[in-house]
Amino acid sequence: MNSENFKIVSVSSNFIKIEVIDPSLFENQFNIGSYIKIPYKNIENKYVVGVIENYNIKDNNISKGDGTAETASTEPSFVLEVKLTGTLTKTIDSDVFERGGHGIPLPPNNGIELLNEKELNNIYSGKLVENDKFCFSKLVQNIEIDVPISGNKFFNKHFAIVGSTGSGKSHTVAKILQEAIKAKKGSYAGLNNSHIVIFDIHGEYKTAFPEANYIDIQNLVLPYWLLNSEELEELFIETEANDHNQRSAFQESITSNKKLKSTLDPKLIAKLNYDSPTFFDLSEILTYFKNRNNEQKQKINTIEWLDLKGERFTFNESTNHHLFSGVLKAVDGAATNTQNGKFINFISRLEIKLNDKRLEFLLGEASKKISFIDTIKQFIGYPCQVQNEDGEIINKEKSNVTIIDLGGIPFEVLSITVSLISRMLFEYGYHSTKLAKQDHDCDVPLLLVYEEAHKYVPKSDLVKFRASKNAIERIAKEGRKYGVTLAIVSQRPSEISDTIFSQCNNFVTMRLTNPEDQNYVKKLLPDTLGNLTDSLSTLQSGEALIIGESIALPSLVKINPCGPEPKSSDIKYFEIWKNPWTEAEINKVIDLWQK
């Protein structure tokens, strides 16, 4: 490029303005998002690198003193606003790019030009070792250029994928995960060691991962006895009521029943508590409360009962097992106090839930029979056996991807379901790091993908979201230390918990049409990109802005096509409406609905 065609007109700490004297010589070469290199004044083979964020048209007509224009006009020039991103040092072997820069000297007015294809490839791949390269997109300005990122820095930190409906968000998620599960070191046969759990609220990803371990309401078995104290009370106790007596009795009954049912060593049984992940029988808890509801306290403040054999006993920690065995009678006597009726609402609520067929996946007989180890295996993709409510044994094969279809989960237990699974996987990661081999911090790293995350980790303090928010926020703050990372996927990022988004180190930001979402994302992005983020509302489907530690430069990219695709394409209404009248299979729809 001829140096006379450029003139630097302004320099600041992070911006340079460059006037292009004759724009006709550079038709279609300078685009928003293109990268420019500017040589240092006195340092050979070193350049300032910047990205074009904006440009202004400059009128070059000169006015006369009387305010009128000269008769001979000149063509307008335009001024590029270039955001500085780093420095490029050219060596004999390669080009070395470094982010940032301090004390940048005033560049000369010559040698300014666009980065060429070789330089861009060197920048993106320069510091990446071959085994760390992960690529799922190409540069928007030049679709011949792959945009590799650091696979380690992308997956070992939390990342977010955001975009409005129709922006290609689901295809992007599918492409990223498809590339991850087929990546191998060497030429070994079989699956690689990736373990991905997708919380799929709309049933989109089954077609994209046909070999995945697919779990829906029909074959999900989730044992209630693994719920922690917070989840148990959210499910069974009227959370708005200030009933300490009810909560105390609930904790006491579950702790006692866990000790009664445990097959552990007696020394370990003594240490069991309300939150211990061991079995207890919920039907026996119901019996316990029916007994406690009928208890009477005598004048000497003891509680006497008749056990099933008709013998008297006093209620204490060593004899309370009688209260789980059947509905008992209290010994007649002059009572000074009674619990009669105090637990009636709790008993009714517990009976309703136990008889609710929609909750069989959580409270039914199958949830009593499944083992702790098979519960974990079904979610992280290892072979296991699960018995459903009909007694049918389901054999699950090993798989890189587990899809949990949340579509059929009743809304009132959606938060608890997500919370329990998330918390189990986090605690599995926490304990497994203690057994990791010396050359790894974690042998089985997990990626948890939350599709439409705003539905269960919203920016809300409502009780119904408390369990899932607490579980996922804990993973966001602590998970990556134990090999558990998050992928937050949403079309409404402004509605997601600030705690979760603030922990994300990489962002794949697609078209966002809502101004509130645009402004929210701009505040969260780790790189100060100024006007480049203004393009978020005009990105085409499949285009994205990738920002974060995993990529050398913030870049506008075109996501590569995925295959097979998720079930997220728009329905072609008008084409379907043109077809002859179709007899809908309403009976089959109703049958499926009622199931």
Side-chain angles (χ1 to χ4, degrees):
M1 295 183 182
N2 190 329
S3 62
E4 295 180 357
N5 291 312
F6 298 96
K7 184 169 68 174
I8 294 174
V9 296
S10 175
V11 177
S12 66
S13 60
N14 57 357
F15 266 99
I16 290 180
K17 291 186 178 182
I18 302 170
E19 182 178 354
V20 181
I21 307 299
D22 188 355
S24 64
L25 298 175
F26 308 100
E27 188 174 358
N28 296 327
Q29 291 190 41
F30 296 100
N31 301 305
I32 301 297
S34 293
Y35 291 98
I36 281 184
K37 63 177 183 179
I38 308 162
Y40 275 71
K41 187 173 184 179
N42 299 315
I43 306 176
E44 191 175 354
N45 294 324
K46 188 168 184 178
Y47 300 82
V48 180
V49 174
V51 58
I52 299 175
E53 289 204 341
N54 207 345
Y55 66 84
N56 299 310
I57 306 299
K58 180 180 179 182
D59 187 355
N60 290 319
N61 289 330
I62 302 174
S63 298
K64 293 181 179 179
D66 60 3
T68 61
E70 296 281 2
T71 53
S73 63
T74 59
E75 291 293 326
S77 61
F78 64 88
V79 178
L80 305 175
E81 293 184 5
V82 179
K83 163 78 172 172
L84 303 182
T85 58
T87 59
L88 179 69
T89 304
K90 300 181 75 65
T91 65
I92 297 175
D93 298 324
S94 64
D95 301 323
V96 179
F97 176 77
E98 295 285 346
R99 275 201 190 193
H102 301 283
I104 296 175
L106 179 67
N109 288 338
N110 57 6
I112 301 172
E113 56 185 317
L114 291 172
L115 289 173
N116 60 42
E117 187 171 326
K118 179 182 177 182
E119 290 168 333
L120 283 169
N121 281 324
N122 285 338
I123 286 175
Y124 285 119
S125 302
K127 289 190 174 181
L128 297 179
V129 297
E130 192 61 34
N131 201 41
D132 189 30
K133 286 183 181 178
F134 180 65
C135 186
F136 55 88
S137 65
K138 298 183 183 296
L139 202 61
V140 166
Q141 285 80 20
N142 187 342
I143 59 172
E144 300 298 320
I145 298 177
D146 288 325
V147 182
I149 64 175
S150 168
N152 282 327
K153 290 183 179 179
F154 188 73
F155 289 113
N156 69 12
K157 309 257 177 79
H158 311 306
F159 64 92
I161 301 174
V162 297
S164 300
T165 299
S167 64
K169 184 173 73 277
S170 299
H171 284 66
T172 299
V173 174
K175 180 61 179 177
I176 290 173
L177 301 185
Q178 286 168 354
E179 289 296 318
I181 64 177
K182 74 180 185 182
K184 293 185 177 182
K185 181 171 63 177
S187 57
Y188 61 87
L191 304 179
N192 66 11
N193 194 38
S194 58
H195 298 266
I196 300 167
V197 182
I198 305 175
F199 292 84
D200 184 5
I201 204 161
H202 295 308
E204 295 180 87
Y205 293 98
K206 186 177 182 180
T207 57
F209 302 96
E211 303 299 321
N213 171 27
Y214 182 73
I215 300 174
D216 64 0
I217 190 66
Q218 302 299 324
N219 63 0
L220 172 62
V221 180
L222 197 59
Y224 64 84
W225 45 270
L226 287 176
L227 294 168
N228 65 13
S229 55
E230 183 180 59
E231 294 157 350
L232 283 167
E233 291 181 6
E234 182 176 327
L235 180 60
F236 294 115
I237 293 180
E238 190 176 349
T239 53
E240 302 302 326
N242 189 24
D243 194 341
H244 300 295
N245 189 40
Q246 187 180 108
R247 293 172 190 275
S248 177
F250 190 56
Q251 177 177 346
E252 182 181 79
S253 65
I254 290 176
T255 304
S256 296
N257 199 258
K258 285 182 176 182
K259 292 179 178 180
L260 183 65
K261 296 294 182 180
S262 178
T263 57
L264 295 173
D265 182 273
K267 292 182 180 180
L268 295 177
I269 291 177
K271 296 181 180 180
L272 292 179
N273 56 59
Y274 194 13
D275 285 310
S276 298
T278 56
F279 176 76
F280 68 92
D281 193 324
L282 200 54
S283 59
E284 291 186 7
I285 301 299
L286 177 61
T287 301
Y288 176 93
F289 270 90
K290 287 181 178 179
N291 283 322
R292 291 295 305 273
N293 200 52
N294 294 325
E295 74 181 21
Q296 292 180 338
K297 290 186 177 180
Q298 308 295 333
K299 290 182 179 180
I300 56 175
N301 202 32
T302 59
I303 306 169
E304 286 196 322
W305 301 85
L306 295 175
D307 64 19
L308 293 180
K309 296 179 181 179
E311 298 178 358
R312 292 187 177 214
F313 72 92
T314 301
F315 171 66
N316 56 48
E317 187 174 354
S318 63
T319 61
N320 62 12
H321 62 274
H322 289 298
L323 274 68
F324 297 114
S325 58
V327 178
L328 308 178
K329 292 182 179 180
V331 176
D332 293 333
T336 58
N337 189 18
T338 178
Q339 298 280 39
N340 191 19
K342 287 190 176 182
F343 295 129
I344 192 67
N345 290 335
F346 174 82
I347 291 170
S348 297
R349 189 162 52 252
L350 183 53
E351 286 180 328
I352 290 171
K353 290 187 182 296
L354 287 174
N355 293 321
D356 190 342
K357 295 299 181 182
R358 301 174 307 149
L359 304 182
E360 282 191 347
F361 75 95
L362 182 63
L363 307 179
E365 287 301 313
S367 67
K368 295 181 179 181
K369 297 174 182 176
I370 189 172
S371 67
F372 196 172
I373 189 169
D374 280 339
T375 301
I376 294 293
K377 282 183 173 182
Q378 71 173 327
F379 294 123
I380 60 176
Y382 284 92
C384 64
Q385 285 189 341
V386 177
Q387 183 177 349
N388 64 18
E389 287 299 316
D390 298 326
E392 180 184 4
I393 299 295
I394 302 172
N395 292 305
K396 295 181 178 292
E397 302 298 327
K398 64 180 179 181
S399 176
N400 291 126
V401 177
T402 297
I403 299 173
I404 305 172
D405 189 341
L406 300 171
I409 305 294
F411 183 74
E412 61 265 33
V413 294
L414 177 61
S415 175
I416 291 172
T417 301
V418 173
S419 170
L420 175 54
I421 298 172
S422 301
R423 183 174 52 77
M424 280 196 301
L425 295 177
F426 169 79
E427 293 184 5
Y428 172 82
Y430 169 77
H431 292 288
S432 68
T433 53
K434 299 176 182 179
L435 302 175
K437 298 172 185 175
Q438 291 184 355
D439 57 338
H440 295 92
D441 292 328
C442 177
D443 292 333
V444 184
L446 305 176
L447 173 65
L448 312 186
V449 182
Y450 294 91
E451 174 68 38
E452 300 293 4
H454 57 275
K455 291 186 179 292
Y456 29 81
V457 280
K459 195 183 299 182
S460 169
D461 293 325
L462 292 177
V463 172
K464 62 183 177 182
F465 299 119
R466 184 183 299 162
S468 58
K469 275 188 67 177
N470 288 348
I472 299 173
E473 284 181 353
R474 186 184 181 194
I475 297 173
K477 290 183 284 190
E478 305 174 34
R480 67 185 189 86
K481 294 184 290 186
Y482 308 118
V484 184
T485 54
L486 303 177
I488 301 298
V489 185
S490 178
Q491 58 180 295
R492 292 307 313 274
S494 62
E495 295 182 2
I496 292 181
S497 161
D498 292 331
T499 300
I500 290 172
F501 252 145
S502 65
Q503 298 294 325
C504 292
N505 290 76
N506 295 284
F507 293 84
V508 181
T509 307
M510 313 192 79
R511 183 177 67 246
L512 287 169
T513 54
N514 187 298
E516 188 177 348
D517 291 327
Q518 293 171 15
N519 293 330
Y520 184 72
V521 169
K522 287 177 185 179
K523 290 188 293 184
L524 286 173
L525 295 181
D527 293 86
T528 307
L529 295 177
N531 294 330
L532 190 59
T533 55
D534 291 340
S535 63
L536 293 180
S537 62
T538 59
L539 293 178
Q540 296 181 9
S541 180
E543 292 181 351
L545 178 61
I546 302 181
I547 302 164
E549 294 182 11
S550 64
I551 191 167
L553 283 171
S555 301
L556 284 170
V557 302
K558 179 74 174 177
I559 307 298
N560 296 335
C562 65
E565 297 182 353
K567 188 181 178 182
S568 60
S569 301
D570 294 334
I571 297 172
K572 298 179 180 178
Y573 270 77
F574 198 50
E575 287 189 23
I576 297 174
W577 283 354
K578 291 180 184 178
N579 295 334
W581 180 273
T582 299
E583 292 296 334
E585 296 180 309
I586 298 177
N587 290 338
K588 292 183 178 179
V589 173
I590 297 299
D591 288 342
L592 184 62
W593 190 345
Q594 290 178 330
K595 288 180 182 179

